[in-house]
Amino acid sequence: MAQADIALIGLAVMGQNIILNMNDNGFVVCAYNRTVSKVHDFLKNEAKGTKVIGAESLEDMVSKLKKPRRIILLVKAGQAVDDFIDKLVPLLEAGDIIIDGGNSEYRDTTRRCQSMKDKKLLFVGSGVSGGEEGARYGPSLMPGGHKEAWPHIKDIFQSIAAKVGTGEACCDWVGDEGAGHFVKMVHNGIEYGDMQLICEAYHLMKDVLGMDHDEMAKAFNEWNKTELDSFLIEITANILKFRDADGTHLLPKIRDSAGQKGTGKWTAISALEYGTPVTLIGEAVFARCLSSLKEERVEASKSLSGPEGTKFSGNKTSFLEDIRKALYASKIISYAQGFMLLRQAAKEFGWSLNYGAIALMWRGGCIIRSVFLGKIKEAFDRDFELQSLLLDNFFSNAVQDCQDSWRRTISTGVQQGIPMPCFTTALSFYDGYRHGMLPANLLQAQRDYFGAHTYELLSNPGTHIHTNWTGHGGNVSSSSYNA
Ligand SMILES: *[C@@H]1O[C@H](CO)[C@@H](O)[C@H](O)[C@H]1NC(C)=O
Ligand SMILES: *[C@@H]1O[C@H](CO)[C@@H](O)[C@H](O)[C@H]1NC(C)=O
Ligand SMILES: *[C@@H]1O[C@H](CO)[C@@H](O)[C@H](O)[C@H]1NC(C)=O
Ligand SMILES: *[C@@H]1O[C@H](CO)[C@@H](O)[C@H](O)[C@H]1NC(C)=O
Ligand SMILES: CC(=O)N[C@H]1CO[C@H](CO)[C@@H](O)[C@@H]1O
C-alpha cells in the first residue's frame, strides 16, 4: 500500500538522522538499506515509536511510496550512487524523483541529470551540510538539478532545514544540473578559508601578544559578540578553554598537521579551471599542505632562522582589536571571492543562481553559519545583480573601517616572522582589485617580446598588435599557444 511520503536509502548516521528529522516534521518515511538487517535494527531502536516504515527490498520500497515517488540516496559518493540509480530506474515511472544527498562531485550530478532526463525521471543533487547534529535538527540544504522536481520536494526540504530569523528555511532551489553540489563544494572551500583565518589570528595572539589560552578564549568569546558572531568563532573559544583530564589545556598538545578530505582542493581546482582569483581558499588548502610536512618543518626549524628577538612593543589591547579587524576584512574578501566563483560557474554552465538565497542557505545549519551571511543576503537583496560584494556599500565601508588595522596586523606579523598566508593574500587581492592599472602591461610586453603573443593598446582595446622589439624579431604572432 502506498503510504510513505518519501524513501531514504542508506542508514548510516546521517541517513538515520534525516529520516528522524522528516518524521518529526510529520512525513512518513520508508527506510531502506542494502543490508536489510540494518533496517530492522533501525525500526527496533532509533526509529521505535515513530511513523517510519521499513522496506525489505527496493521493489518493496517503491511499492510503498506515494506518487510521484521521492527517493533520497545517502550513500557513498561515486559508484554506489550510479549502482542504486541503475537498480531504481526500471522500478520507477515518468515524473518520479531521485535525490542524491551525498557528497557527490558536481560534474557527476550534471551527468546523472542528463541521463535521467532521457528516462523521463527527475533528478536532484542536494548539498547537505551540518554534520550528524544538523541532519537531525536542521541541516543546510542546497538542492539543484531538474527544477520540475522542486514543487514536489520543497515542503519536505524546507520543513527539515535549519531556520533563521523569523523562521526562514536554510534551503532553497539552487539551480540546474550540478549547481546544488557545486554550491556545497564552494561552501566547503569557504569553510577552509574561515578556519585558516581563525588559525592565523590565534597564531598572532599566541606568538606576538603572548596571550595564554584562557585569555585567547575570552577574546574569541568577545569577538563572537561582534560582526564575527559565528559557529566557528564560538567553537574556537570552547576549544581554547578546553582542559584535559590532567587539568591542562588540550590544544597545545595536538599535533599541528592538518588533514583534508578534498573538497577545499576541488574548490581551488575549479577556481583555476574557470580562471577566477579565489586566492584565499587556495592559500588555505596550501596552508594545510605545508602543515602536514611536520617532520620536514621540524628539521628546517633547526637551521632556518627568522627575526628572533624582536619583541612586540606596541599596545596589546589595540593590536588585539587590529587582529580582529584583519580577520573580518579578510573574511569579506574570501566570501567576495567565493561568490565570484559561483558567478563564473553560472556563466560557464548557463545556470541562473540566486545568490541571496545561497547566502541564506549558509546562514544557518552548516559549518560556516554566521550573522555575517545575513549581511551578504541583505547585500544581494539590495542589488540582485551585485557584481562583487566589495562593491556593496555595507561591505566597502566595513573594509574601509578595517583597512588600517588590517595593514598594521600584517606588517607587524611579517616583522615578527608569523606566517599569515590568508591574511596577506586577502589584502593583496584587495589592493589588486582596487587598482585600475596593474603591472600586467609589462607582462603583456614580455609575452609579445619572447613569444609574439601580441598586446592591445589602452587607447585601442580589441586590436591586437605585435612589436618588433629587438630589431631581429620575426613577423609572426603566436596564436597557437598562450603562455
Ligand atoms: C556566540 O554567539 C551566539 C549567538 O549569537 C551564542 O548562541 C553563543 O552561545 C555564543 N558563543 C560563545 C562561546 O560565546
Ligand atoms: C591601549 O589602547 C587602548 C585602546 O585602544 C587604550 O584604551 C589604552 O589606554 C592603551 N593603553 C596604553 C598603555 O596606552
Ligand atoms: C625588425 O626590425 C629590424 C631593424 O629595424 C628590421 O631589419 C626587420 O626587418 C624587422 N622585422 C620585421 C619582421 O619587420
Ligand atoms: C609584417 O606584418 C605586417 C602586418 O601583417 C605587414 O604589414 C608587414 O608588411 C609585414 N612585414 C614583413 C617584413 O613581412
Ligand atoms: C547502501 C546502503 O544502504 N548501505 C548502508 C547500510 O548500512 C550500513 C551500516 O550502517 C552502512 O555502512 C551502509 O553504507
Side-chain angles (χ1 to χ4, degrees), residues 439-478:
N441 52 336
L442 173 56
L443 208 135
Q444 286 297 81
Q446 291 166 335
R447 294 175 68 236
D448 189 56
Y449 187 110
F450 68 69
H453 291 292
T454 75
Y455 59 86
E456 297 159 275
L457 288 172
L458 285 167
S459 58
N460 192 14
T463 303
H464 294 260
I465 49 184
H466 170 58
T467 288
N468 182 351
W469 295 93
T470 56
H472 47 76
N475 201 18
V476 275
S477 56
S478 166

Side-chain angles (χ1 to χ4, degrees), residues 314-319 321:
N315 179 326
K316 292 193 174 186
T317 313
S318 62
F319 189 63
E321 178 63 1

Side-chain angles (χ1 to χ4, degrees), residues 315-384:
N315 179 326
K316 292 193 174 186
T317 313
S318 62
F319 189 63
L320 183 58
E321 178 63 1
D322 283 345
I323 301 173
R324 188 186 71 80
K325 288 187 166 177
L327 173 47
Y328 182 42
S330 302
K331 182 165 168 153
I332 293 172
I333 300 297
S334 180
Y335 283 68
Q337 293 182 343
F339 277 91
M340 281 171 84
L341 179 57
L342 292 178
R343 184 175 274 277
Q344 190 56 36
K347 206 161 132 191
E348 200 82 28
F349 300 115
W351 297 336
S352 93
L353 298 180
N354 179 347
Y355 301 102
I358 292 168
L360 181 61
M361 282 178 246
W362 295 344
R363 169 73 188 80
C366 59
I367 304 297
I368 65 171
R369 62 183 181 261
S370 64
V371 169
F372 178 72
L373 278 156
K375 296 292 178 194
I376 295 180
K377 164 81 166 61
E378 288 168 18
F380 284 109
D381 286 347
R382 281 189 286 275
D383 177 5
F384 185 78

